[in-house]
Amino acid sequence: MFSKKENDIKPVIRNISTNTNITYIAEDCELKGSLVSSGNIRIDGKLEGTVEVGGDLIIGQSASVKANISAATATITGVVCGNIKVGDLLELSPTSRLYGDITAKQLKIDQGAIFVGTSSIVTDSTDHPDDSSPEKKS
C-alpha cells in the first residue's frame, strides 16, 4: 500500500566541497597569537596576532581583527587593522572597515566599505618578466 517501486525513488544529488575543513572563531571568542590553517577559516570574534590561511578566509560582521593576514581568498564584513596578502580575490563588503595595505590578484570593494591604506594588484610573474613597469597601484 505505501511501498514505492525502485523506479520511483530518485537519487539525492548534493554538491560536496572537496575542502570541508572549516575553523570557526565564534563571536564570544577572543584569541591572541598566530592562527595557521591549510583549510578555511571564519572569524566572528576578536583576534590579535597573525593569520595564515591556505583556503578561504571569512571575517564576519561582528569580528574585530588586528593582524597581518595571508590567505588564498578573503571576504571581509567586519573590522580589520593590518596588512592583507591574498593569492586571488579580496572582497570588502558594505559593512567592512579595513585599515592596512592590500596585495591581491583581484579586489572587489562594495559601496559603503571603508578602506584606508594602499592596494597593489599583482599579476602572474610569468606575464612579462622583463617588463620594467611597476605594479598597478590604486
Side-chain angles (χ1 to χ4, degrees), residues 57-121:
L57 173 65
I58 299 171
I59 297 178
Q61 193 169 351
S62 62
S64 176
V65 177
K66 293 181 182 179
N68 287 327
I69 297 170
S70 175
T73 65
T75 302
I76 299 173
T77 58
V79 179
V80 175
C81 295
N83 299 329
I84 299 179
K85 185 174 183 179
V86 178
D88 192 22
L89 173 66
L90 172 62
E91 185 173 357
L92 303 178
S93 73
T95 58
S96 66
R97 290 179 285 164
L98 172 59
Y99 305 95
D101 297 337
I102 294 170
T103 302
K105 190 172 182 181
Q106 299 178 66
L107 176 61
K108 178 183 176 192
I109 302 176
D110 289 336
Q111 184 176 356
I114 296 172
F115 167 50
V116 178
T118 62
S119 64
S120 297
I121 304 303

